Amino acid sequence: MMTLPPVCIVYSQDADLVRRVKAYLRTMAQVRHVGEADRLEAVLEQTAPAVVLMDLRARECRDLMEQLEQNWPDSLQIALGTPRSEPLRDAEQSGIYAAEDLQLERRRFQALVGRAFDYLKLLRQNRELREEAQTSAIAAVQQPLPATAATTGESRAGASALPMLRFPRVFRQFENVDSLLASVAESVADAAGVTRVGIFSRIRQGERYRLRAGLRCLPETHEIEYSERDAFVRWFETHAHLIWRTNLPYVADLTQRALLRRALDSFGAEVIVPLYGRGRIIGWIFFGHGITGLPFEYTQLEGLMILAEHVSTVLENALLYEEITLQKTLAETLLKSIPPGIVAIDEGAIIRWFNPPAETILGVPASDALNHPAEAAGGKLALMLRDTLEATTNLPPRQWIDQRTHRSLSVETRRLADQRTALGAVAVIHDLTAEESLREKQDLMDRAAFWSDLAASMSHEIRNPLVAIKTFAQLLPERYDEPDFRQTFNDVVVKEVERLDKIVGQINAFAHPAELDKKPLDLRATVRRGVELARGKISGNGEIPIETELPPNLPKIVGDENALAEAVAHLVANAAEAVRDQKKPKITLTAKPIREAGRESAILLTVQDNGRGIAPEMKEKIFSPFCTTKPRGMGLGLPIVKRTVFDHNGRVDIDSGTHGTAVNIALPVGNGE
């Protein structure tokens, strides 16, 4: 059932009070604010009966309250004032509906206004019943209109067409929608011969209907807004015909009659005609009195309907243009604002888009590039764009140093097409100069850190054997004649020199890896060789069992047997170190094929131990050179493993916890690509 929303008028110059009232009543009523004394009664003419909130601090408030009591007895006044003040006490004794504290308490205020709305509803229903009785009496004695020239079909055809002869073609060209609608409003007023015209519409779906253009409209009309769910909008959707003040007494539903009368009064209108587009209401146009002051005739209403149809066309085109303009503006703003340079060409390789970042990156002003051949943006870029126009698939990104700006560029192009029609090509240009500069600085810092760590690790590792050699060398003159000392001296010096040679060899192997000799390999043989190498490194832990699970159906890989065996040896040696203190140490090596898209794509090799796992703070550093928890060693084993795996286009990851550590290596089968 359609209900008439109540209206609350707030007379105040206090913006904060108005804001609070609107917030409290936004779900209960339409709130109209009046800040000027001479407009209060004008607004009441548009909306009465209404609840009027009078701010006793406002100008001329007491005089206005007396005028409303005399001239608008159907409206209810609620005075708002300072507690225990003289104006509030006088208001309480004046006979108005209520007097309240300015410091509104939400629930108390809503309850008070709700009771006032209920009372107004009762008054309105009584008035509607009286009007219904008067309408019935008039209809009983009313006689049919004589067949005058004003009602004959012959004259109606001429009269309805007459206004269209004066309606200009205002929508041929326009740049601003509001200016267009203002021109339409003036033209409609002239064609219809009326004193007042207003066009209500919304811009986009979901927005509110508001006055977009008008001629001699009431000041308050500019503040009125309607939502899609408003009763007035729903009435138009249901009935789809114009509203005429003269016909109001014949509207059977009293609530609908009050709703339509309020709309006419709010606009100061005599006729409201809906505007339709795309099968739904897009707004409405209202007309005031004719310039003669006489009521409208039926033939004139037909002319207004025809005018409204033309306005609907103009408005629909204007809204569509506005939407397209907004989308275009957003797209252009986006393309101008994003960091990458954008260069677009048409099917003839003429530059049609050149955004500001492209100007900066390429060092070419837009004025020198737009509407010129692609070569204006640079030879390499032009060649890539032209290749993209002719290509049937996307070209891979390319990088180069621009000769004009000496910037490092990464360029990706795409062909532009609408279904099968080629429209051109676009290039997205990324400036990598700052990134590469930052990367170079980071490389310098990493290199400096590398040499610092290397120096610290070498000084620690080399100092121990040198101290032993120095000690025995100092004792040699005194104890040279002792055979046992000479034998011990020989053993220690040789051992420590070998240790020094091993350290130098590790560093040399890490810094200058041997060139890989890749060939088809059976990974099982490589793993067994790596285990044997590891046993030589962990001779002190020879009792640790090492189990292997290598199925015979493993596919072959392409790789360097020596490098891969050395990597396996490092992993097994690390695992042996991790289980040194376990009661039942165990190391397991497993391999299995990985299937992707129905074929064997890689082999997964896993080295598992049952040690205590890697400390959380070390997990991020284990692949860094010189990162080690061993009392001896330089921490180069895992970095060598990682580099070897990467050189074979594989990947390596580590899963470690209290249950132990598993190092997983995935190596591609076939040619290793």
Side-chain angles (χ1 to χ4, degrees), residues 294-560:
L294 297 176
F296 287 101
E297 297 180 356
Y298 283 102
T299 53
Q300 292 174 307
L301 294 179
E302 291 179 1
L304 296 183
M305 285 293 294
I306 295 174
L307 281 173
E309 290 178 4
H310 284 262
V311 174
S312 294
T313 302
V314 175
L315 180 58
E316 186 177 11
N317 291 338
L319 294 178
L320 180 60
Y321 172 83
E322 206 163 43
E323 181 178 351
I324 294 174
T325 300
L326 177 62
Q327 293 178 356
K328 180 182 177 182
T329 301
L330 289 174
E332 290 180 353
T333 303
L334 173 65
L335 292 175
K336 289 179 180 178
S337 302
I338 59 176
I342 305 293
V343 178
I345 61 173
D346 59 18
E347 65 277 12
I350 302 299
I351 297 176
R352 300 302 184 187
W353 184 263
F354 202 84
N355 71 341
E359 295 184 81
T360 303
I361 295 173
L362 299 176
V364 178
S367 57
D368 294 345
L370 286 173
N371 302 319
H372 289 80
E375 283 69 21
K380 289 186 177 180
L381 181 61
L383 180 61
M384 191 172 180
L385 283 170
R386 290 183 181 275
D387 289 344
T388 303
L389 281 177
E390 300 174 359
T392 56
T393 59
N394 293 330
L395 300 180
R398 300 179 189 174
Q399 292 188 14
W400 65 77
I401 303 296
D402 186 75
Q403 296 181 353
R404 183 184 292 107
T405 61
H406 302 290
R407 295 176 182 268
S408 178
L409 307 182
S410 173
V411 181
E412 188 172 1
T413 58
R414 287 292 183 271
R415 190 166 177 263
L416 301 177
D418 180 13
Q419 296 180 351
R420 296 183 178 180
T421 304
L423 301 177
V426 61
V428 181
I429 309 166
H430 297 273
D431 185 358
L432 304 181
T433 306
E435 295 179 16
E436 292 192 354
S437 176
L438 183 62
R439 190 181 300 112
E440 290 176 359
K441 292 180 181 179
Q442 185 64 42
D443 289 344
L444 290 175
M445 294 176 63
D446 292 344
R447 194 174 295 115
F450 172 85
W451 289 112
S452 297
D453 292 342
L454 177 63
S457 182
M458 287 184 63
S459 64
H460 173 75
E461 291 294 323
I462 294 176
R463 182 179 290 112
N464 292 333
L466 289 180
V467 167
I469 294 173
K470 179 180 178 182
T471 301
F472 276 90
Q474 289 174 340
L475 294 174
L476 182 61
E478 300 177 8
R479 304 179 61 180
Y480 180 79
D481 294 334
E482 301 178 16
D484 292 341
F485 176 81
R486 290 199 304 272
Q487 183 62 42
T488 303
F489 174 84
N490 180 70
D491 294 342
V492 169
V493 170
V494 171
K495 181 179 179 181
E496 295 302 327
V497 169
E498 289 177 350
R499 183 178 172 190
L500 286 173
D501 182 66
K502 183 178 180 181
I503 292 172
V504 173
Q506 284 183 334
I507 296 175
N508 184 65
F510 182 78
H512 305 287
E515 185 176 351
L516 297 180
D517 180 18
K518 292 184 178 182
K519 57 184 179 181
L521 296 176
D522 182 350
L523 190 61
R524 295 178 300 170
T526 304
V527 170
R528 294 190 187 100
R529 180 182 172 191
V531 171
E532 294 303 319
L533 291 175
R535 290 189 185 279
K537 295 181 179 182
I538 57 174
S539 56
N541 293 343
E543 72 280 3
I544 298 176
I546 302 176
E547 300 179 3
T548 60
E549 298 178 9
L550 307 173
N553 60 342
L554 286 178
K556 289 188 176 183
I557 65 170
V558 174
D560 185 294

Side-chain angles (χ1 to χ4, degrees), residues 180-371:
L180 168 72
L181 294 180
S183 177
V184 169
E186 293 180 3
S187 301
V188 168
D190 178 61
V194 295
T195 57
R196 176 177 295 154
V197 167
I199 301 174
F200 266 75
S201 77
R202 59 183 179 179
I203 299 177
R204 287 176 293 277
Q205 188 76 15
E207 292 193 351
R208 302 174 71 87
Y209 295 89
R210 61 180 178 84
L211 184 68
R212 296 296 303 275
L215 182 66
R216 303 186 187 92
C217 293
L218 297 172
E220 292 75 23
T221 308
H222 295 272
E223 302 177 6
I224 301 175
E225 293 184 347
Y226 294 89
S227 68
E228 287 185 347
R229 302 174 61 185
D230 192 276
F232 180 64
V233 178
R234 293 204 306 270
W235 187 92
F236 267 139
E237 291 177 346
T238 303
H239 295 83
H241 62 73
L242 60 77
I243 302 169
W244 182 23
R245 188 180 294 273
T246 304
N247 269 2
L248 284 184
Y250 302 100
V251 178
D253 188 292
L254 300 182
T255 301
Q256 292 186 12
R257 186 189 304 172
L259 174 69
L260 303 183
R261 178 186 293 109
R262 175 182 292 175
L264 290 166
D265 292 343
S266 298
F267 305 147
E270 293 298 306
V271 178
I272 306 176
V273 185
L275 304 174
Y276 289 90
R278 303 180 189 176
R280 62 188 308 166
I281 184 169
I282 58 175
W284 55 87
I285 182 171
F286 64 82
F287 302 89
H289 288 283
I291 56 177
T292 62
L294 297 176
F296 287 101
E297 297 180 356
Y298 283 102
T299 53
Q300 292 174 307
L301 294 179
E302 291 179 1
L304 296 183
M305 285 293 294
I306 295 174
L307 281 173
E309 290 178 4
H310 284 262
V311 174
S312 294
T313 302
V314 175
L315 180 58
E316 186 177 11
N317 291 338
L319 294 178
L320 180 60
Y321 172 83
E322 206 163 43
E323 181 178 351
I324 294 174
T325 300
L326 177 62
Q327 293 178 356
K328 180 182 177 182
T329 301
L330 289 174
E332 290 180 353
T333 303
L334 173 65
L335 292 175
K336 289 179 180 178
S337 302
I338 59 176
I342 305 293
V343 178
I345 61 173
D346 59 18
E347 65 277 12
I350 302 299
I351 297 176
R352 300 302 184 187
W353 184 263
F354 202 84
N355 71 341
E359 295 184 81
T360 303
I361 295 173
L362 299 176
V364 178
S367 57
D368 294 345
L370 286 173
N371 302 319

